Amino acid sequence: MAAIEASNDDVAGVLRDSLRGFLEEHWRPLGLTASSLPEEVSAIWRKLVGLGVAALGAESGEGGLAEILIVMAELGRAGCPAPMWSAALANLAISGSQVDVAVDLLDRLQSAKATVAFSFGALDPDAGTGAVEVADLKAKGTLRFVEAAGGATHLLVVLDQAQLALINLDGPGVECVATRAMGAWGLYEVRLNEAPLTRIPAGTVDLDHLRIKGRAMLTARAHGAARRAFELAVDYAKERHQFGQPIGRFQAIQHKLADCLIALEGVRLILDHAARLHDGGEGGWRYFADCASAFSGHALRQVSLEIQHTFGAIGYAEEHEAPIHFKRVHLDTVALGGASDAKSGLAARLLDAGGVGLPQYDLGSAGNAFRDQIRLWLEQNWTGDTKQAFDARPFAKREFDAGFARDIGETGWIGLGWPKQFGGQARSPLEQIAFMETMERGEAPRIGAAIQANALMMFGTAAQQQKYLPEILRGEAMHGMGYSEPQAGSDLAALRTSAARDGDHWVINGQKIWTTTWWGKYMFLAARTDKDAKPPHAGISMFIVPMDSPGITVRPSATMYDGTFANIFYDNVRIPSENLVGGVNGGWKVLTGALAFERGLVGGGIVLKVAHAFEQLRLHVMAKQGDRSLADDPIIRDRMATLASEIEIGRLLMMHCAELADDGVTPPEYGAISKVFSGELMERFGEAALDILGMRAALSEQMPGAIDNGRFEQNLRHSLMWVISIGTNEIQRSLIAQRALGMPR
């Protein structure tokens, strides 16, 4: 098979493209009722066997779980029920067996002389699947939900943790009855009455692990089906007109499709990650495979529903392709116990027998070494009395610590991602993640002025760079952002604060609101320098305003998350002309360029906060209260497993942004995907923590009995800021729809 013979770097793309082209030529989704006829399934399977897919998973073949998942996804995309799932499981289960019948079966399977149907029998978490009783090498019982049994020659069924049985479906005592499920044909009930069998020992194969792999394959097929239906819906939204315009212009449709894309990308990334770990021989694959199924159980089914909503009535006509994929997604995400069984496995890992925390990601040799270096520095500089005194402050006084900023400034890490020409360390995005992650775990205060520093490096003059960047790098100066106004929040192009030229100075008048770093040394301020500019954003300029300038009035306000922001009034504030950044009327590119540069890792910063808080929550859940703990509650176990799976989706979106940034700036639509998901995850986490821990978790900081000094309830209140700031999530969804999906503006 050409794809399998390609290099590891190329194999996924080549295999995917090869299969997609083949299936487009040889298979058309005519509706599951027609497409599931045994003779049609057998015909397409023989052709696929000729491509080499029937050898995937076998010890003698090439390609691992990653390649199997690609094939499954492409079959799902094509609406093709070829028995790849059973073939792959057979290869994984018995390819190392020395039993003659097993060796012979695999040889025939891989040459299209035999077709296998697979059942996990009693090992299937769904008790409705049935089981087999064996006496005198004969099987009796009923097995339900068996794929492709109508066109298969053999049934391979798990008997118990140590052995499987091989049954000839053409032999005596076997009856296969077609079953309609989700309105589709393709599953069978296999009735066994003294049917002859051959026992095959499992040997070194862990059949529980095999089941997890089988569920991952079904998740991949469901993802392929959902992705295909999504692409059809995107095209339909561009073409279908209502009220004189394409429905893809309506914000409701744009945001619906943006949410679908976020979910689909999350599933894609976590399946890829689990497969890479598996094929690399790393045990962590089981955790991520369970996370994939736990997340997908709801996410892919919700995508299917939203797609049907987008299509409207046309989408539930059986001659349309969409119903094929809707049915496939729901069948595959329920099978083998679905999300419920996956979450049971996650909860056991997280909460039982001491529990194991969230896994640490491999950030590459440089990133891993840098993480250790930062951890050691924090142990030496941010522990003991210093940290205890900081933690004892009210939250409003913990947003920044000048002494800590100067200490970090001595390391040069404030500029760890800056180019070396500006005094930075030019470290990779993965090293930047290592820094953010370790600082979050160390509960260190925030530092730096990343957006403003980016703006100066991208658009500042040499004199500005020489003046302002070194003091940011040393931790000596914080820059606030003076953007929002009473009538210009998300719509910054509507801002009214003015800057008028007066000789060698600019004179600024106006008001800025919701300014968080109002106590900084400087304000990075956007002002209108051309009130008649068309479009309005073309008349904006950017200035650096020293906050000790005459004419500035600061009126701080407490935020609902116990922090502060301020209304700031600028009355005839005079600043030197050299404080203009990016040229007259060039402020929009400065503003958007710097934000776009930073947004790529904003979502990462948020999800790392959630991950750290989750670990603290996990410890509270496991803590004994008498002879019991919250970890004994099945509802709490389910909730914790759900949160863990969502955190891994958020972290993988973060990692993907870092990978994209290695090739330059993360595309804004992908930064938006990460930001939307992680910000709303922080909200969900905060709500869940209150549900799990109860009223004590609602006690605020410095209240008697408050859990972790009010950490969880404060995180919930703070989460609102992350959903709104740096572009609201509604704005981000519109960006995703228009930039990633090509929806009309």
Side-chain angles (χ1 to χ4, degrees):
M1 184 175 179
I4 296 178
E5 295 171 358
S7 71
N8 289 336
D9 291 338
D10 297 335
V11 66
V14 173
L15 176 57
R16 184 177 292 111
D17 292 345
S18 173
L19 272 171
R20 188 167 301 179
F22 174 85
L23 289 167
E24 286 175 354
E25 180 180 354
H26 295 281
W27 183 265
R28 290 288 185 272
L30 305 174
L32 280 182
T33 300
S35 299
S36 293
L37 295 175
E39 55 268 28
E40 291 188 8
V41 176
S42 296
I44 190 66
W45 178 239
R46 286 193 295 272
K47 293 177 181 178
L48 286 165
V49 171
L51 295 179
V53 300
L56 290 173
E59 287 187 356
S60 59
E62 296 184 42
L65 185 60
E67 288 72 29
I68 293 171
L69 296 189
I70 289 171
V71 176
M72 291 296 293
E74 289 304 312
L75 291 173
R77 176 186 177 86
C80 178
M84 178 65 197
W85 184 75
S86 292
L89 288 172
N91 285 331
L92 291 167
I94 64 173
S95 63
S97 175
Q98 301 302 311
V99 177
D100 289 343
V101 70
V103 174
D104 178 66
L105 175 68
L106 291 181
D107 180 66
R108 297 176 65 200
L109 170 66
Q110 294 165 20
S111 59
K113 296 175 183 176
T115 303
V116 174
F118 194 98
S119 173
F120 279 95
L123 219 60
D124 193 315
D126 189 334
T129 299
V132 174
E133 295 180 3
V134 177
D136 298 325
L137 294 181
K138 291 186 177 180
K140 186 175 183 179
T142 299
L143 297 170
R144 302 178 186 87
F145 326 129
V146 182
E147 281 195 16
T153 58
H154 294 79
L155 171 69
L156 192 61
V157 58
V158 176
L159 296 178
D160 52 40
Q161 294 282 359
Q163 60 184 335
L164 304 96
L166 182 65
I167 299 170
N168 189 336
L169 290 176
D170 296 326
V174 178
E175 182 183 10
C176 293
V177 180
T179 302
R180 191 167 184 248
M182 282 301 299
W185 298 96
L187 298 179
Y188 290 82
E189 183 175 290
V190 180
R191 300 168 184 172
L192 304 172
N193 184 16
E194 303 296 326
L197 63 81
T198 302
R199 295 178 187 268
I200 302 177
T204 59
V205 175
D206 187 317
L207 293 177
D208 277 326
H209 291 178
L210 185 70
R211 178 171 50 82
I212 295 172
K213 295 174 195 177
R215 195 170 55 218
M217 296 176 204
L218 296 177
T219 302
R221 187 166 63 182
H223 172 254
R227 178 75 70 161
R228 168 61 178 167
F230 172 71
E231 292 170 1
L232 292 171
V234 168
D235 290 342
Y236 180 76
K238 296 174 185 177
E239 298 167 358
R240 173 66 167 165
H241 279 64
Q242 289 286 333
F243 307 105
Q245 57 185 320
I247 64 172
R249 183 169 286 149
F250 301 143
Q251 188 180 77
I253 296 295
Q254 290 194 359
H255 289 192
K256 187 187 297 287
L257 294 175
D259 284 339
C260 290
L261 180 60
I262 292 169
L264 289 168
E265 282 296 279
V267 175
R268 177 182 70 85
L269 290 171
I270 200 162
L271 283 171
D272 287 351
H273 188 65
R276 282 198 302 271
L277 292 177
H278 174 275
D279 294 346
E282 299 188 37
W285 72 266
R286 297 185 296 277
Y287 168 78
F288 284 99
D290 275 340
C291 282
S293 297
F295 177 76
S296 300
H298 170 73
L300 291 182
R301 287 157 70 176
Q302 188 63 38
V303 166
S304 289
L305 291 169
E306 299 294 356
I307 287 167
Q308 295 300 131
H309 300 164
T310 301
F311 278 124
I314 192 175
Y316 55 79
E318 277 292 334
E319 61 264 29
H320 196 282
E321 187 179 335
I324 299 172
H325 304 305
F326 181 89
K327 297 169 186 177
R328 171 54 61 204
V329 167
H330 282 74
L331 287 169
D332 282 355
T333 53
V334 173
L336 284 180
S340 295
D341 186 65
K343 287 191 280 189
S344 177
L346 290 174
R349 179 188 190 276
L350 293 163
L351 303 174
D352 290 350
V356 178
L358 299 176
Q360 183 171 273
Y361 279 41
D362 181 3
L363 301 177
S365 57
N368 294 339
F370 189 43
R371 179 163 51 195
D372 292 338
Q373 182 183 355
I374 302 161
R375 185 182 299 121
L376 179 61
W377 187 91
L378 287 172
E379 289 173 358
Q380 296 171 345
N381 294 274
W382 191 244
T383 54
D385 294 342
T386 302
K387 187 174 185 304
Q388 288 179 12
F390 177 81
D391 291 343
R393 302 178 193 171
F395 180 81
K397 301 296 183 182
R398 299 202 306 272
E399 292 187 277
F400 181 71
D401 183 273
F404 181 82
R406 288 192 296 271
D407 289 344
I408 282 284
E410 293 179 4
T411 68
W413 292 341
I414 292 176
L416 62 92
W418 298 10
K420 291 185 177 180
Q421 70 190 84
F422 298 117
Q425 298 184 350
R427 292 184 183 266
S428 70
L430 289 178
E431 289 172 290
Q432 295 176 55
I433 287 175
F435 182 78
M436 293 191 303
E437 175 193 271
T438 313
M439 295 289 281
E440 189 61 48
R441 288 182 175 176
E443 300 182 353
R446 72 185 182 96
I447 56 169
I451 293 174
Q452 300 88 335
N454 287 333
L456 287 166
M457 288 184 282
M458 295 166 69
F459 304 105
T461 64
Q464 289 169 339
Q465 292 163 352
Q466 292 167 9
K467 177 178 180 180
Y468 298 110
L469 290 177
E471 57 183 10
I472 294 175
L473 191 60
R474 294 192 299 267
E476 296 173 355
M478 288 290 285
H479 291 235
M481 290 193 295
Y483 293 174
S484 296
E485 298 182 6
Q487 301 301 321
S490 297
D491 182 16
L492 286 177
L495 63 83
R496 297 177 182 176
T497 294
S498 66
R501 189 67 182 261
D502 183 12
D504 292 334
H505 287 76
W506 288 91
V507 181
I508 298 174
N509 283 280
Q511 177 188 0
K512 296 291 180 179
I513 60 174
W514 308 320
T515 304
T516 51
T517 315
W518 54 270
W519 37 262
K521 185 174 181 179
Y522 304 103
M523 189 61 59
F524 215 67
L525 185 136
R528 183 161 299 285
T529 45
D530 184 349
K531 61 182 177 58
D532 299 318
K534 301 293 183 185
H537 69 259
I540 294 172
S541 300
M542 194 68 68
F543 301 91
I544 296 176
V545 180
M547 287 302 289
D548 59 359
S549 302
I552 297 178
T553 302
V554 179
R555 295 180 181 170
S557 297
T559 67
M560 71 170 289
Y561 57 86
D562 288 344
T564 61
F565 55 40
N567 289 334
I568 304 179
F569 300 87
Y570 299 85
D571 298 304
N572 294 318
V573 177
R574 298 179 65 86
I575 59 171
S577 58
E578 59 264 27
N579 285 28
L580 173 71
V581 179
V584 177
N585 296 331
W588 191 254
K589 68 178 180 180
V590 177
L591 186 154
T592 56
L595 281 176
F597 191 91
E598 187 66 15
R599 269 190 190 129
L601 291 179
V602 165
I606 299 170
V607 75
L608 291 173
K609 292 179 183 298
V610 179
H612 177 64
F614 177 85
E615 288 293 359
Q616 310 312 306
L617 175 61
R618 189 177 67 84
L619 296 176
H620 285 288
V621 168
M622 293 190 339
K624 287 289 184 181
Q625 300 174 2
D627 61 348
R628 291 180 59 81
S629 73
L630 293 172
D632 298 324
D633 187 318
I635 295 175
I636 290 175
R637 293 173 71 85
D638 184 90
R639 200 82 177 267
M640 291 293 288
T642 298
L643 289 170
S645 69
E646 292 180 338
I647 287 168
E648 299 311 339
I649 297 296
R651 291 208 289 178
L652 287 167
L653 289 169
M654 168 191 72
M655 293 289 286
H656 190 53
C657 283
E659 292 169 3
L660 294 171
D662 261 341
D663 298 325
V665 177
T666 301
E669 59 270 26
Y670 220 98
I673 287 173
S674 178
K675 193 259 186 185
V676 168
F677 184 87
S678 297
E680 293 172 10
L681 170 59
M682 191 174 185
E683 290 182 332
R684 291 194 298 276
F685 173 82
E687 299 285 3
L690 291 187
D691 288 342
I692 290 169
L693 297 177
M695 279 297 295
R696 281 189 61 212
L699 293 173
S700 299
E701 62 179 5
Q702 301 180 344
M703 293 295 101
I707 296 178
D708 284 5
N709 196 26
R711 174 200 302 273
F712 298 109
E713 69 85 18
Q714 197 277 332
N715 276 353
L716 173 58
R717 289 182 285 134
H718 202 181
S719 68
L720 300 175
M721 187 203 80
W722 295 107
V723 170
I724 294 169
S725 66
I726 318 181
T728 68
N729 279 12
E730 287 70 31
I731 295 293
Q732 302 304 314
R733 283 183 167 89
S734 295
L735 184 153
I736 293 166
Q738 293 163 15
R739 293 287 294 268
L741 303 177
M743 291 292 111
R745 293 179 178 274

